[in-house]
Amino acid sequence: MKLTVLGSGSSSGVPYITGEWDQCDPSDPRNRRTRASVLIESDGERIMVDTGPDFREQFLRAGSGPIDGIIYTHGHADHVHGIDDIRALNHQMQKQIPAFGYDECLTEIARRFDYVFKPPRPQFGWFKPSLGANPIENGDLKIGNAALRIFEQDHGVCRTTGIRVGDIAYSTDVVKLDAEALRALKGVKTWIVGCLRREPHQVHAGLDQVLRWADIIGPEKIYLTHMNASMDYQSLMSELPDGVEPASDGLEIQG
Ligand SMILES: [Zn+2]
Ligand SMILES: [Zn+2]
């Protein structure tokens, strides 16, 4: 399987829309971060995780093409608001695309974008995106031939979907992990985990928290994602312990 980090940035991206790079070196291309998202390719299936505001550019960079499903980690704007661009994939594939998420996440998306889960009307040319709503719970999830495991994460204001595929797991937007989540992560070789900044934050893990989790879970490799502009790539590389690195947009991980 392959996991591609499409976006490694926090909700504002880096640089911020104001042009500020904060502590990030603007001359290092690894510091230019779009909103957090990954593409999972496993057992012949291509699965998007989230469709944030940068979805279109990210997907073009990853090679475009049909997809077999979209998992929504939660309903926040930085993970959802590129949703309208799915319509071009509907048009290309001439069918609805299944979306997976916790019930309350799909309900929130349906509230904000009330047209996306309506039955497709291809005779009108797919001018609106068309998604099938598939509520999920914790445990095993099959999308076509791909076998995934879903586990619950605490994001302070809501729960988010943790995803494990074989030896790789993706945990974005998380501030607390309970015993069940830590069990689901046990034995992963590579863990991509949200780390907004060095200091603690109300709804996101800071660096100390991530390193404490690393001691419990013991993965060979950790990639930090969902980073804001205080997280300069090269500075992090020189200060992080062995086996922990910042992710960057376009990073490909083989499992
Ligand atoms: Zn986020
Ligand atoms: Zn969030």
Side-chain angles (χ1 to χ4, degrees):
M1 71 147 304
K2 184 169 91 172
L3 182 147
T4 307
V5 176
L6 300 182
S8 58
S10 59
S11 59
S12 304
V14 181
Y16 304 137
I17 197 170
T18 52
E20 289 165 89
W21 290 83
D22 191 14
Q23 289 165 60
C24 279
D25 176 0
S27 70
D28 186 340
R30 296 168 300 188
N31 281 329
R32 186 173 280 274
R33 302 181 181 123
T34 59
R35 268 56 74 89
S37 170
V38 298
L39 175 67
I40 293 169
E41 293 169 272
S42 175
D43 296 288
E45 313 291 343
R46 294 180 91 222
I47 302 157
M48 275 297 305
V49 179
D50 294 328
T51 57
D54 302 308
F55 171 48
R56 180 178 153 276
E57 283 291 344
Q58 293 171 332
F59 198 64
L60 285 168
R61 239 176 280 147
S64 197
I67 55 172
D68 302 288
I70 302 167
I71 299 174
Y72 283 102
T73 58
H74 62 305
H76 284 166
D78 54 321
H79 298 262
V80 177
H81 284 199
I83 201 164
D84 280 290
D85 285 318
I86 293 164
R87 68 194 179 128
L89 294 174
N90 289 133
H91 180 77
Q92 182 184 44
M93 297 166 67
Q94 287 295 302
K95 62 177 184 189
Q96 196 176 56
I97 294 170
F100 302 83
Y102 287 141
D103 194 40
E104 69 274 18
C105 166
L106 298 181
T107 301
E108 175 59 22
I109 293 172
R111 192 185 64 76
R112 227 176 297 149
F113 304 94
D114 67 344
Y115 44 89
V116 298
F117 294 123
K118 293 201 171 141
R121 298 199 299 168
Q123 67 272 31
F124 295 108
W126 302 101
F127 64 88
K128 291 178 185 173
S130 179
L131 294 173
N134 297 273
I136 55 172
E137 264 314 323
N138 303 326
D140 295 334
L141 172 68
K142 277 284 246 187
I143 300 180
N145 295 318
L148 304 97
R149 180 165 175 187
I150 300 299
F151 55 95
E152 189 170 320
Q153 308 171 148
D154 186 346
H155 185 20
V157 286
C158 64
R159 60 175 176 162
T160 58
T161 306
I163 303 160
R164 177 169 179 169
V165 194
D167 290 342
I168 302 180
Y170 179 62
S171 295
T172 191
D173 296 64
V174 54
V175 68
K176 268 191 220 147
L177 291 170
D178 66 11
E180 202 183 321
L182 291 170
R183 257 197 306 279
L185 284 161
K186 203 83 193 162
V188 290
K189 285 194 177 144
T190 310
W191 187 32
I192 302 105
V193 56
C195 182
L196 182 73
R197 60 188 192 187
R198 289 174 181 79
E199 305 77 31
H201 183 273
Q202 259 186 321
V203 303
H204 291 284
L207 192 51
D208 286 352
Q209 178 64 76
V210 168
L211 297 178
R212 278 198 297 275
W213 285 331
D215 280 343
I216 301 167
I217 300 161
E220 287 172 15
K221 190 93 188 182
I222 286 184
Y223 289 104
L224 310 179
T225 190
H226 208 289
M227 291 172 287
N228 74 11
S230 70
M231 302 282 265
D232 177 65
Y233 189 95
Q234 198 52 52
S235 315
L236 286 166
M237 283 300 273
S238 54
E239 76 188 59
L240 289 172
D242 280 355
V244 186
E245 283 182 25
S248 56
D249 287 22
L251 173 73
E252 293 183 3
I253 300 161
Q254 301 285 342

Tab-separated table of all heavy atoms in Angstrom, residues 78-79 173 226, ligand 1:
chain	number	residue	atom	x	y	z
A	78	ASP	N	-11.442	23.057	7.367
A	78	ASP	CA	-10.151	22.759	6.724
A	78	ASP	C	-10.056	21.302	6.238
A	78	ASP	O	-9.099	20.947	5.551
A	78	ASP	CB	-8.965	23.098	7.648
A	78	ASP	CG	-9.028	22.440	9.008
A	78	ASP	OD1	-10.123	22.336	9.579
A	78	ASP	OD2	-7.962	22.011	9.513
A	79	HIS	N	-11.077	20.487	6.549
A	79	HIS	CA	-11.078	19.086	6.114
A	79	HIS	C	-12.203	18.785	5.123
A	79	HIS	O	-12.280	17.680	4.598
A	79	HIS	CB	-11.187	18.157	7.329
A	79	HIS	CG	-10.022	18.319	8.254
A	79	HIS	ND1	-8.934	17.463	8.243
A	79	HIS	CD2	-9.736	19.290	9.159
A	79	HIS	CE1	-8.055	17.886	9.127
A	79	HIS	NE2	-8.504	18.995	9.692
A	173	ASP	N	-5.846	15.988	13.855
A	173	ASP	CA	-6.792	16.699	14.725
A	173	ASP	C	-7.135	15.892	15.966
A	173	ASP	O	-8.266	15.445	16.149
A	173	ASP	CB	-8.051	17.094	13.934
A	173	ASP	CG	-7.712	18.089	12.831
A	173	ASP	OD1	-6.970	17.725	11.910
A	173	ASP	OD2	-8.174	19.248	12.919
A	226	HIS	N	-0.381	18.548	10.043
A	226	HIS	CA	-1.284	19.585	10.561
A	226	HIS	C	-0.489	20.626	11.370
A	226	HIS	O	-0.881	21.054	12.445
A	226	HIS	CB	-2.385	18.943	11.424
A	226	HIS	CG	-3.678	19.728	11.446
A	226	HIS	ND1	-3.793	20.927	12.102
A	226	HIS	CD2	-4.887	19.485	10.888
A	226	HIS	CE1	-5.042	21.371	11.958
A	226	HIS	NE2	-5.723	20.527	11.218
B	1	ZN	ZN	-7.838	20.512	11.033
